[in-house]
């Protein structure tokens, strides 16, 4: 779920970097957003925005114009 939401925020993330992050996520059991922050690939406000969007979508509040 995090990848889908953070996808638009991490535009310059290459497939190799993404694979590395996903492997780290699997091995360390960390959340994708936390790993992207730790690697400096996103900033905190991007993660906050993505998590808000995730909450809105999950609870049916997200409306696309």
């Amino acid at each position: 779920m995090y990848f889908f939401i953070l996808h638009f925020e991490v535009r310059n993330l290459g497939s190799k970097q993404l694979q590395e992050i996903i492997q780290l996520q699997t091995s360390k059991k960390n959340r994708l957003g936390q790993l992207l922050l730790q690697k400096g690939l996103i900033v905190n406000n991007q993660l906050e925005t993505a998590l808000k969007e995730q909450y809105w979508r999950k609870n049916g509040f997200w409306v696309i114009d």
Side-chain angles (χ1 to χ4, degrees):
M1 183 77 161
Y2 284 101
F3 172 70
F4 173 73
I5 291 171
L6 292 174
H7 178 284
F8 67 92
E9 299 288 348
V10 188
R11 293 187 180 129
N12 295 323
L13 183 66
S15 60
K16 184 177 179 180
Q17 286 177 307
L18 179 59
Q19 284 297 328
E20 290 173 6
I21 294 292
I22 291 172
Q23 287 174 352
L24 276 174
Q25 179 190 21
T26 303
S27 66
K28 294 187 175 188
K29 308 241 187 283
N30 287 353
R31 294 184 176 186
L32 183 58
Q34 292 171 328
L35 291 171
L36 292 169
L37 272 174
Q38 290 171 2
K39 293 284 187 179
L41 297 170
I42 61 171
V43 293
N44 196 45
N45 68 340
Q46 290 173 308
L47 180 58
E48 288 176 9
T49 300
L51 291 173
K52 285 179 192 175
E53 181 183 330
Q54 179 184 22
Y55 173 81
W56 295 334
R57 286 177 185 263
K58 181 179 177 183
N59 292 289
F61 301 128
W62 189 256
V63 178
I64 298 174
D65 293 334

